[in-house]
Coordinates of all heavy atoms in Angstrom, one line a residue:
R90 N 72.8 73.4 -86.6 CA 72.6 74.8 -86.6 C 72.5 75.3 -88.1 O 72.5 76.5 -88.3 CB 73.8 75.5 -85.9 CG 73.9 75.2 -84.5 CD 75.1 76.0 -83.8 NE 75.2 75.7 -82.4 CZ 74.5 76.4 -81.5 NH1 73.8 77.4 -81.8 NH2 74.6 76.0 -80.2
A91 N 72.5 74.4 -89.0 CA 72.3 74.9 -90.4 C 70.9 75.4 -90.7 O 70.0 74.8 -90.2 CB 72.6 73.7 -91.4
P92 N 70.8 76.5 -91.4 CA 69.5 77.0 -91.6 C 68.6 76.2 -92.6 O 67.4 76.4 -92.7 CB 69.8 78.4 -92.2 CG 71.1 78.3 -92.8 CD 71.8 77.3 -92.0
A93 N 69.2 75.3 -93.4 CA 68.5 74.5 -94.3 C 69.2 73.3 -94.6 O 70.4 73.1 -94.2 CB 68.2 75.3 -95.6
V94 N 68.5 72.3 -95.2 CA 69.1 71.0 -95.6 C 69.0 70.8 -97.1 O 67.9 71.0 -97.6 CB 68.4 69.9 -94.8 CG1 69.0 68.5 -95.1 CG2 68.6 70.1 -93.3
Q95 N 70.0 70.3 -97.7 CA 70.0 70.1 -99.1 C 70.1 68.6 -99.4 O 70.9 67.9 -98.8 CB 71.1 70.8 -99.8 CG 71.2 70.5 -101.3 CD 72.4 71.1 -102.0 OE1 73.3 71.6 -101.3 NE2 72.4 71.2 -103.3
A96 N 69.1 68.1 -100.2 CA 69.2 66.6 -100.5 C 70.1 66.4 -101.7 O 70.3 67.4 -102.5 CB 67.8 66.1 -100.8
E97 N 70.5 65.3 -101.9 CA 71.4 64.9 -103.0 C 70.6 65.0 -104.4 O 69.5 64.5 -104.5 CB 72.0 63.6 -102.8 CG 73.0 63.2 -103.9 CD 73.6 61.8 -103.6 OE1 73.2 61.2 -102.6 OE2 74.5 61.4 -104.4
V98 N 71.2 65.6 -105.3 CA 70.6 65.7 -106.7 C 70.8 64.4 -107.4 O 71.9 63.8 -107.4 CB 71.2 66.9 -107.4 CG1 70.6 67.1 -108.8 CG2 71.1 68.2 -106.6
P99 N 69.8 64.0 -108.2 CA 69.9 62.8 -109.0 C 71.0 62.9 -110.0 O 71.4 64.0 -110.5 CB 68.6 62.6 -109.6 CG 67.6 63.3 -108.7 CD 68.4 64.5 -108.2
S100 N 71.6 61.8 -110.4 CA 72.7 61.8 -111.4 C 72.2 62.3 -112.8 O 73.0 62.9 -113.6 CB 73.3 60.4 -111.5 OG 72.3 59.5 -111.9
T101 N 70.9 62.1 -113.1 CA 70.5 62.6 -114.4 C 70.5 64.1 -114.5 O 70.7 64.7 -115.6 CB 69.0 62.1 -114.7 OG1 68.2 62.5 -113.6 CG2 69.0 60.6 -114.7
A102 N 70.3 64.7 -113.4 CA 70.3 66.2 -113.4 C 71.7 66.7 -113.5 O 72.0 67.8 -114.0 CB 69.7 66.7 -112.1
R103 N 72.7 66.0 -113.0 CA 74.1 66.5 -113.0 C 74.7 66.3 -114.4 O 75.8 66.7 -114.6 CB 74.9 65.8 -111.9 CG 74.5 66.1 -110.5 CD 75.5 65.8 -109.5 NE 75.9 64.4 -109.7 CZ 75.3 63.4 -108.9 NH1 74.4 63.7 -108.1 NH2 75.7 62.1 -109.1
S104 N 74.1 65.5 -115.3 CA 74.7 65.2 -116.6 C 74.3 66.1 -117.7 O 74.5 65.8 -118.8 CB 74.3 63.7 -117.0 OG 72.9 63.7 -117.1
Q105 N 73.8 67.2 -117.3 CA 73.3 68.2 -118.3 C 74.5 69.0 -118.9 O 74.3 69.8 -119.9 CB 72.3 69.1 -117.7 CG 71.0 68.4 -117.2 CD 70.3 67.8 -118.3 OE1 70.3 68.2 -119.5 NE2 69.7 66.6 -118.0
G106 N 75.7 68.9 -118.3 CA 76.8 69.7 -118.8 C 76.8 71.1 -118.3 O 76.1 71.4 -117.3
N107 N 77.4 72.0 -119.0 CA 77.6 73.3 -118.6 C 76.6 74.3 -119.3 O 76.8 75.5 -119.3 CB 79.0 73.8 -118.8 CG 80.0 73.0 -117.9 OD1 79.6 72.6 -116.8 ND2 81.2 72.8 -118.4
S108 N 75.6 73.7 -120.0 CA 74.7 74.6 -120.7 C 73.8 75.3 -119.7 O 73.6 74.9 -118.6 CB 73.9 73.8 -121.7 OG 73.1 72.8 -121.0
E109 N 73.2 76.4 -120.1 CA 72.3 77.1 -119.3 C 71.1 76.4 -118.9 O 70.6 76.4 -117.8 CB 71.9 78.4 -120.0 CG 73.1 79.4 -120.2 CD 72.6 80.6 -120.9 OE1 71.4 80.7 -121.2 OE2 73.5 81.5 -121.1
V110 N 70.6 75.6 -119.9 CA 69.4 74.8 -119.6 C 69.7 73.7 -118.5 O 68.9 73.5 -117.5 CB 68.8 74.1 -120.8 CG1 67.6 73.2 -120.5 CG2 68.5 75.1 -121.9
G111 N 70.8 73.1 -118.6 CA 71.2 72.1 -117.6 C 71.4 72.7 -116.2 O 71.0 72.2 -115.2
I112 N 71.9 73.9 -116.2 CA 72.1 74.6 -114.9 C 70.8 75.0 -114.3 O 70.6 74.8 -113.1 CB 73.0 75.8 -115.1 CG1 74.4 75.4 -115.5 CG2 73.1 76.6 -113.8 CD1 75.4 76.5 -115.9
A113 N 69.9 75.5 -115.1 CA 68.6 75.9 -114.6 C 67.8 74.7 -114.1 O 67.1 74.7 -113.0 CB 67.8 76.6 -115.7
T114 N 67.9 73.6 -114.9 CA 67.2 72.3 -114.4 C 67.7 71.8 -113.1 O 67.0 71.4 -112.2 CB 67.3 71.3 -115.5 OG1 66.8 71.8 -116.8 CG2 66.5 70.0 -115.2
Q115 N 69.0 71.8 -113.0 CA 69.6 71.4 -111.8 C 69.3 72.2 -110.6 O 68.9 71.7 -109.5 CB 71.2 71.3 -112.0 CG 71.9 70.8 -110.8 CD 73.4 70.8 -111.0 OE1 73.9 71.3 -112.0 NE2 74.1 70.2 -110.1
A116 N 69.2 73.5 -110.8 CA 68.9 74.4 -109.7 C 67.4 74.2 -109.3 O 67.1 74.2 -108.1 CB 69.1 75.9 -110.1
L117 N 66.5 74.1 -110.3 CA 65.1 73.9 -110.0 C 64.9 72.6 -109.2 O 64.1 72.5 -108.2 CB 64.3 73.9 -111.3 CG 62.8 73.7 -111.1 CD1 62.2 74.9 -110.3 CD2 62.1 73.7 -112.5
A118 N 65.5 71.5 -109.7 CA 65.4 70.2 -109.0 C 65.9 70.3 -107.5 O 65.3 69.7 -106.6 CB 66.1 69.1 -109.7
L119 N 67.0 71.0 -107.4 CA 67.6 71.1 -106.1 C 66.6 71.9 -105.2 O 66.4 71.6 -104.0 CB 68.9 71.8 -106.2 CG 69.7 72.0 -104.8 CD1 70.0 70.7 -104.2 CD2 71.0 72.7 -105.1
L120 N 66.0 73.0 -105.7 CA 65.1 73.8 -105.0 C 63.9 73.0 -104.5 O 63.5 73.1 -103.4 CB 64.7 75.0 -105.8 CG 63.7 76.0 -105.2 CD1 64.3 76.6 -103.9 CD2 63.3 77.1 -106.2
V121 N 63.3 72.3 -105.4 CA 62.1 71.5 -105.1 C 62.4 70.4 -104.0 O 61.6 70.2 -103.1 CB 61.5 70.9 -106.4 CG1 60.4 69.9 -106.0 CG2 61.0 72.0 -107.3
S122 N 63.5 69.8 -104.2 CA 63.9 68.7 -103.2 C 64.1 69.3 -101.8 O 63.6 68.7 -100.8 CB 65.1 67.9 -103.7 OG 64.9 67.4 -104.9
A123 N 64.8 70.4 -101.7 CA 65.1 71.0 -100.4 C 63.8 71.5 -99.8 O 63.6 71.3 -98.6 CB 66.1 72.1 -100.6
A124 N 63.0 72.1 -100.6 CA 61.7 72.7 -100.0 C 60.8 71.5 -99.5 O 60.2 71.6 -98.4 CB 61.0 73.5 -101.0
G125 N 60.7 70.5 -100.3 CA 59.9 69.4 -99.9 C 60.4 68.7 -98.6 O 59.6 68.4 -97.7
A126 N 61.7 68.4 -98.6 CA 62.2 67.8 -97.4 C 62.1 68.7 -96.1 O 61.7 68.2 -95.0 CB 63.7 67.5 -97.6
G127 N 62.3 69.9 -96.3 CA 62.2 70.8 -95.1 C 60.8 70.9 -94.6 O 60.6 70.9 -93.4
L128 N 59.9 71.1 -95.5 CA 58.5 71.2 -95.1 C 58.0 69.9 -94.5 O 57.2 70.0 -93.5 CB 57.6 71.7 -96.3 CG 57.8 73.1 -96.7 CD1 57.0 73.4 -97.9 CD2 57.6 74.1 -95.6
A129 N 58.4 68.8 -95.0 CA 57.9 67.5 -94.4 C 58.4 67.4 -93.0 O 57.7 66.9 -92.1 CB 58.4 66.4 -95.3
G130 N 59.7 67.8 -92.8 CA 60.2 67.7 -91.4 C 59.5 68.7 -90.4 O 59.2 68.3 -89.3
R131 N 59.1 69.8 -91.0 CA 58.4 70.8 -90.1 C 57.0 70.3 -89.8 O 56.6 70.5 -88.7 CB 58.3 72.1 -90.8 CG 59.6 72.9 -90.9 CD 60.1 73.3 -89.5 NE 61.3 74.0 -89.6 CZ 61.9 74.5 -88.5 NH1 61.4 74.3 -87.3 NH2 63.0 75.2 -88.6
I132 N 56.4 69.7 -90.7 CA 55.1 69.2 -90.4 C 55.1 68.1 -89.4 O 54.3 68.1 -88.4 CB 54.4 68.6 -91.8 CG1 54.1 69.8 -92.7 CG2 53.2 67.9 -91.5 CD1 53.7 69.4 -94.1
A133 N 56.0 67.1 -89.5 CA 56.2 66.1 -88.5 C 56.5 66.7 -87.1 O 56.0 66.3 -86.1 CB 57.2 65.1 -88.9
H134 N 57.4 67.7 -87.1 CA 57.7 68.3 -85.8 C 56.5 69.0 -85.2 O 56.3 69.0 -84.0 CB 58.9 69.3 -86.1 CG 59.3 70.0 -84.8 ND1 60.0 69.3 -83.8 CD2 59.2 71.3 -84.5 CE1 60.3 70.2 -82.9 NE2 59.8 71.4 -83.2
G135 N 55.7 69.6 -86.0 CA 54.5 70.3 -85.5 C 53.5 69.3 -84.9 O 52.9 69.6 -83.9
R136 N 53.4 68.1 -85.6 CA 52.5 67.1 -85.0 C 52.9 66.7 -83.6 O 52.1 66.5 -82.7 CB 52.4 65.9 -86.0 CG 51.7 66.3 -87.3 CD 51.8 65.1 -88.2 NE 51.1 65.4 -89.5 CZ 51.1 64.6 -90.5 NH1 51.8 63.4 -90.5 NH2 50.4 64.9 -91.6
R137 N 54.2 66.4 -83.5 CA 54.7 66.0 -82.2 C 54.5 67.1 -81.2 O 54.2 66.8 -80.0 CB 56.2 65.6 -82.3 CG 56.5 64.4 -83.1 CD 57.9 63.9 -82.8 NE 58.9 64.9 -83.1 CZ 59.5 65.1 -84.3 NH1 59.1 64.3 -85.3 NH2 60.4 66.0 -84.5
R138 N 54.7 68.3 -81.6 CA 54.5 69.4 -80.6 C 53.1 69.6 -80.2 O 52.8 69.9 -79.0 CB 55.1 70.7 -81.3 CG 55.1 71.9 -80.3 CD 55.8 73.1 -81.0 NE 55.9 74.2 -80.1 CZ 56.8 74.3 -79.1 NH1 57.7 73.4 -79.0 NH2 56.9 75.4 -78.4
R139 N 52.2 69.4 -81.1 CA 50.8 69.5 -80.8 C 50.4 68.4 -79.8 O 49.6 68.6 -78.9 CB 49.9 69.4 -82.0 CG 49.8 70.7 -82.8 CD 48.7 70.7 -83.8 NE 49.0 69.7 -84.9 CZ 49.7 69.9 -86.0 NH1 50.3 71.1 -86.2 NH2 49.8 69.0 -86.9
R140 N 50.9 67.2 -80.0 CA 50.6 66.1 -79.1 C 51.1 66.4 -77.7 O 50.5 66.1 -76.6 CB 51.2 64.8 -79.6 CG 50.4 64.2 -80.7 CD 50.8 62.7 -80.9 NE 52.2 62.5 -81.2 CZ 52.7 62.5 -82.5 NH1 51.9 62.6 -83.5 NH2 54.0 62.3 -82.7
W141 N 52.3 67.0 -77.7 CA 52.9 67.4 -76.4 C 52.1 68.4 -75.7 O 51.9 68.4 -74.4 CB 54.3 67.9 -76.6 CG 55.0 68.4 -75.4 CD1 55.6 67.6 -74.4 CD2 55.2 69.7 -75.0 NE1 56.1 68.4 -73.5 CE2 55.9 69.7 -73.8 CE3 54.9 70.9 -75.6 CZ2 56.3 70.9 -73.1 CZ3 55.3 72.1 -75.0 CH2 55.9 72.1 -73.7
L142 N 51.6 69.4 -76.4 CA 50.8 70.5 -75.8 C 49.4 69.9 -75.3 O 48.9 70.4 -74.3 CB 50.5 71.6 -76.9 CG 51.7 72.5 -77.2 CD1 51.3 73.5 -78.3 CD2 52.1 73.2 -75.9
V143 N 48.8 69.0 -76.0 CA 47.6 68.4 -75.5 C 47.8 67.7 -74.2 O 47.0 67.8 -73.2 CB 47.1 67.4 -76.5 CG1 45.9 66.6 -76.0 CG2 46.6 68.1 -77.8
A144 N 49.0 67.0 -74.0 CA 49.3 66.3 -72.8 C 49.5 67.4 -71.7 O 49.1 67.2 -70.5 CB 50.5 65.5 -72.9
R145 N 50.1 68.5 -72.0 CA 50.3 69.5 -71.0 C 49.0 70.2 -70.6 O 48.8 70.5 -69.4 CB 51.3 70.6 -71.5 CG 52.7 70.1 -71.9 CD 53.4 69.7 -70.6 NE 53.9 70.8 -69.9 CZ 54.7 70.8 -68.8 NH1 55.0 69.6 -68.4 NH2 55.1 71.8 -68.2

Side-chain angles (χ1 to χ4, degrees):
R90 296 182 181 271
V94 179
Q95 178 185 11
E97 185 179 1
V98 182
S100 58
T101 57
R103 293 197 305 268
S104 63
Q105 299 297 329
N107 294 329
S108 63
E109 295 181 359
V110 177
I112 294 175
T114 304
Q115 184 178 5
L117 181 60
L119 182 62
L120 178 61
V121 173
S122 301
L128 290 177
R131 287 296 183 179
I132 291 172
H134 181 68
R136 291 175 180 173
R137 290 196 304 272
R138 187 172 183 82
R139 281 193 296 274
R140 286 197 299 268
W141 176 79
L142 285 176
V143 170
R145 300 290 285 184

